[in-house]
């Protein structure tokens, strides 16, 4: 018999391309149909049939406090009674910007937008204006949203669905995006040598999460700063995923000596509502309209609901730094448990982890860049994913994505997941 989710998917597909509003959630990557999610509660989500899953997707990163955190929900209730949007300056935008500027090194000013895509797109425009150059360097397998200049050898859904170069991106635009290999400084140096006066920005996910989790190696990070300084190029950290996730100060905590010129945010800073932001040095940010010549705008930018949800989330994270220790410990427990479980069944896996971000590749090789990622066995992943889902563990439907732990999780959730992984691995070997 057809499930409610199957019925809804059929219905949605008639009116929404592919039945989804973002390809990553279509589940075609794992050759199945997605459950429709009805509600969330703490660490769990429930589908239309009321099946309960431990949620390791967390809306793809924003829900570090889990679903329906009381402070976030209370804050939203207060806001909603007083109006949802004004298209005018508000106190909560000011407080949110102050909180970010006070908390984060390297951010003198910040501009709010509505998505990570808008943040990275605007950051690059700013870098191009600042340097009066047209080209950027991005890394193979890194994902910076879906604006034209970024859909070149991109990660996430673009990678999972095998369309790294989207149709509709004109060659004249694509030619300004040069791609280098992550954790391979030589590949960056070669591009600079060939285009010494042309590179406006290098944009990087400091901990890549969109080809699975891969951290920048220290020398690579240092080298990026040195080479961008040498050529007068803007260094952009895309912390849409890692911001307030791998530590309260995001990647700044992992690479304290590397000071990016612009940093992009999204996900966690909206507490589950649509948001993005980019910030950096005053001399660069001052180029933005209305004080400067770089136009950037948004009807709903800084809207009170997203700002309040984000503000409550950041306040809670700032006031409870033990959350990060907890996430780290839980993720370590998961990492060890998964490794042991795979070993029991002689399954080759490599687990990469940074704090509460973790991913697992079906390969026995070290995974340091996109080339390594592409050697992982996808058929095995698909079989594993299905087993886990059927056992009540909701993982991202691609091994090229990160799992996200949340603050409502505890050892019990992790041990349950490990037990289910052990069963799944056993079935893979049969
Ligand atoms: C690192 C990174 N940058 C940018 C984006 C784009 O953000 P959004 O989906 O909010 O447009 C994402 C996620 O989608 C991301 O993970
Ligand atoms: N990997 C993407 C963002 O981090 C997944 C979210 C999406 O594009 O729907």
């Amino acid at each position: 018999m057809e499930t409610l989710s199957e019925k809804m998917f059929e219905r949605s597909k008639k009116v929404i391309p592919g039945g989804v509003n973002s390809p990553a959630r279509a589940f075609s990557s794992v050759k199945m149909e997605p459950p429709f999610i009805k509600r969330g509660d703490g660490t769990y989500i429930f589908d239309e049939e009321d099946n309960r899953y431990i949620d390791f997707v967390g809306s793809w990163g924003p829900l570090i406090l889990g679903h329906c955190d009381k402070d976030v929900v209370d804050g939203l209730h207060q806001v909603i009674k007083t109006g949802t949007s004004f298209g005018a300056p508000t106190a909560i935008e000011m407080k949110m910007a102050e909180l970010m500027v006070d908390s984060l090194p390297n951010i003198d000013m910040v501009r709010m937008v509505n998505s990570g895509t808008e943040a990275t797109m605007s950051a690059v425009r700013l870098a191009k204006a600042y340097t009066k150059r047209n080209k950027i360097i991005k890394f193979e397998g890194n994902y910076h949203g879906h604006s034209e200049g970024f859909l070149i050898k991109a990660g996430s859904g673009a990678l999972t669905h095998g369309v790294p170069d989207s149709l509709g991106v004109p060659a004249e635009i694509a030619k300004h995006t040069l791609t280098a290999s992550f954790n391979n400084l030589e590949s960056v140096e070669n591009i600079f040598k060939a285009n010494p006066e042309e590179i406006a920005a290098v944009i990087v996910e400091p901990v890549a999460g969109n080809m699975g989790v891969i951290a920048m190696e220290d020398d690579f990070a240092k080298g990026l700063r040195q080479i961008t300084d040498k050529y007068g190029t803007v260094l952009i950290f895309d912390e849409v995923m890692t911001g307030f996730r791998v530590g309260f100060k995001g990647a700044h905590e992992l690479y304290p000596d590397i000071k990016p010129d612009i940093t992009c945010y999204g996900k966690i800073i909206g507490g589950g509502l649509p948001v993005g932001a980019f910030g950096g040095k005053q001399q660069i940010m001052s180029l933005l309209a209305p004080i400067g010549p770089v136009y950037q705008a948004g009807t709903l930018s800084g809207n009170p609901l997203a700002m309040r949800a984000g503000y409550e989330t950041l306040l809670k994270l700032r006031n409870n730094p033990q959350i990060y220790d907890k996430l780290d410990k839980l993720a370590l427990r998961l990492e060890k448990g998964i490794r042991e479980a795979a070993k029991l069944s002689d399954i080759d896996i490599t687990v990469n982890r940074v704090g509460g971000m973790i991913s697992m590749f079906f390969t026995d090789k070290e995974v340091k860049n996109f080339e390594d990622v592409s050697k992982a066995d996808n058929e095995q992943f698909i079989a594993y994913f299905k087993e886990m889902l059927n056992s009540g563990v909701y993982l991202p439907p691609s091994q090229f994505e990160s799992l996200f732990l949340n603050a409502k999780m505890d050892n019990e959730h992790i041990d349950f997941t490990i037990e289910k992984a052990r069963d799944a691995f056993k079935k893979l070997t049969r």
Side-chain angles (χ1 to χ4, degrees):
M1 221 186 39
E2 246 190 346
T3 64
L4 284 173
S5 290
E6 283 164 350
K7 280 188 196 147
M8 287 184 185
F9 197 45
E10 271 316 301
R11 206 168 135 187
S12 290
K13 279 194 286 191
K14 293 194 180 120
V15 285
I16 304 174
V20 289
N21 284 314
S22 191
R25 56 182 91 147
F27 275 44
S28 47
S29 50
V30 284
K31 301 182 183 161
M32 59 185 294
E33 296 193 348
F36 271 49
I37 305 303
K38 190 162 63 174
R39 68 186 178 94
D41 182 8
T43 274
Y44 295 105
I45 48 174
F46 299 80
D47 69 14
E48 289 287 342
E49 320 279 341
D50 265 329
N51 294 310
R52 189 181 80 166
Y53 307 90
I54 298 182
D55 182 13
F56 283 99
V57 176
S59 190
W60 302 90
L63 299 181
I64 191 165
L65 300 178
H67 294 272
C68 303
D69 177 78
K70 186 172 177 330
D71 294 322
V72 174
V73 172
D74 287 352
L76 285 171
H77 279 153
Q78 278 179 25
V79 171
I80 215 156
K81 285 188 275 192
T82 57
T84 52
S85 183
F86 308 108
T90 58
I92 186 69
E93 288 170 286
M94 174 190 72
K95 284 165 72 176
M96 180 72 173
E98 282 172 353
L99 180 57
M100 288 182 72
V101 169
D102 289 349
S103 306
L104 300 165
N106 316 318
I107 306 277
D108 300 332
M109 296 179 124
V110 62
R111 168 72 53 94
M112 292 294 163
V113 291
N114 300 290
S115 67
T117 298
E118 277 185 57
T120 54
M121 179 184 79
S122 307
V124 163
R125 182 180 305 146
L126 198 50
K128 287 179 176 173
Y130 181 69
T131 56
K132 302 193 173 57
R133 299 172 181 175
N134 286 333
K135 292 192 189 303
I136 61 162
I137 296 179
K138 77 171 280 290
F139 293 93
E140 216 177 345
N142 276 198
Y143 177 69
H144 305 292
H146 61 92
S147 71
E148 290 186 340
F150 288 132
L151 284 178
I152 322 285
K153 297 192 177 169
S156 188
L159 171 59
T160 312
H161 291 263
V163 276
D165 300 306
S166 172
L167 279 184
V169 176
E172 299 80 59
I173 289 185
K175 77 176 186 206
H176 292 303
T177 301
L178 309 171
T179 43
S181 174
F182 195 72
N183 276 329
N184 179 341
L185 201 56
E186 204 185 329
S187 70
V188 183
E189 283 163 353
N190 290 341
I191 296 178
F192 269 106
K193 277 182 200 150
N195 306 270
E197 304 282 324
E198 289 172 79
I199 314 291
V202 171
I203 183 164
V204 66
E205 286 185 68
V207 175
N210 286 291
M211 52 176 166
V213 175
I214 310 179
M216 283 194 295
E217 290 172 343
D218 284 337
D219 285 350
F220 176 71
K222 253 182 235 154
L224 282 189
R225 185 62 281 184
Q226 279 163 1
I227 201 165
T228 44
D229 279 344
K230 177 174 163 193
Y231 285 94
T233 294
V234 172
L235 179 62
I236 304 174
F237 269 14
D238 179 354
E239 291 226 55
V240 168
M241 193 181 272
T242 54
F244 300 94
R245 163 65 62 180
V246 292
F248 186 67
K249 293 178 188 163
H252 296 291
E253 282 185 25
L254 308 177
Y255 308 97
D257 301 333
I258 318 298
K259 300 185 190 320
D261 304 298
I262 305 178
T263 307
C264 301
Y265 293 91
K267 299 197 191 264
I268 285 178
I269 66 158
L273 274 82
V275 90
F278 60 105
K281 293 180 177 159
Q282 183 154 9
Q283 79 198 96
I284 301 182
M285 294 303 287
S286 303
L287 289 180
L288 282 176
I291 49 175
V294 178
Y295 199 71
Q296 189 284 323
T299 303
L300 289 169
S301 291
N303 81 84
L305 286 165
M307 291 299 96
R308 184 62 185 264
Y311 188 70
E312 294 296 341
T313 303
L314 297 196
L315 270 192
K316 196 161 201 167
L317 293 172
R318 190 190 66 184
N319 297 339
N320 297 281
Q322 71 279 9
I323 287 178
Y324 292 101
D325 295 335
K326 179 182 174 184
L327 293 177
D328 189 50
K329 284 201 183 98
L330 289 175
L332 177 62
R333 190 180 181 98
L334 182 62
E335 177 188 343
K336 283 186 180 159
I338 295 272
R339 278 215 181 100
E340 279 162 21
K343 210 169 167 190
L344 278 179
S345 294
D346 264 336
I347 303 271
D348 291 328
I349 58 155
T350 292
V351 184
N352 283 3
R353 181 181 76 84
V354 177
M357 280 174 71
I358 182 165
S359 64
M360 192 185 105
F361 305 90
F362 280 88
T363 172
D364 59 346
K365 308 265 168 1
E366 223 187 350
V367 177
K368 286 166 45 172
N369 57 31
F370 175 73
E371 212 187 323
D372 302 333
V373 168
S374 35
K375 289 182 190 142
D377 184 331
N378 216 30
E379 290 308 313
Q380 268 193 326
F381 171 77
I382 293 172
Y384 172 75
F385 174 85
K386 285 182 180 163
E387 288 298 332
M388 294 301 275
L389 190 72
N390 289 336
S391 315
V393 181
Y394 189 85
L395 302 173
S398 161
Q399 60 184 329
F400 310 132
E401 301 279 1
S402 172
L403 276 71
F404 298 105
L405 275 68
N406 70 64
K408 305 278 189 302
M409 284 181 173
D410 56 31
N411 285 344
E412 216 179 294
H413 300 111
I414 299 302
D415 292 346
F416 177 87
T417 305
I418 294 169
E419 187 191 316
K420 297 303 168 195
R422 200 178 298 129
D423 295 345
F425 287 135
K426 271 190 208 147
K427 288 194 183 149
L428 295 194
T429 45
R430 268 193 219 137

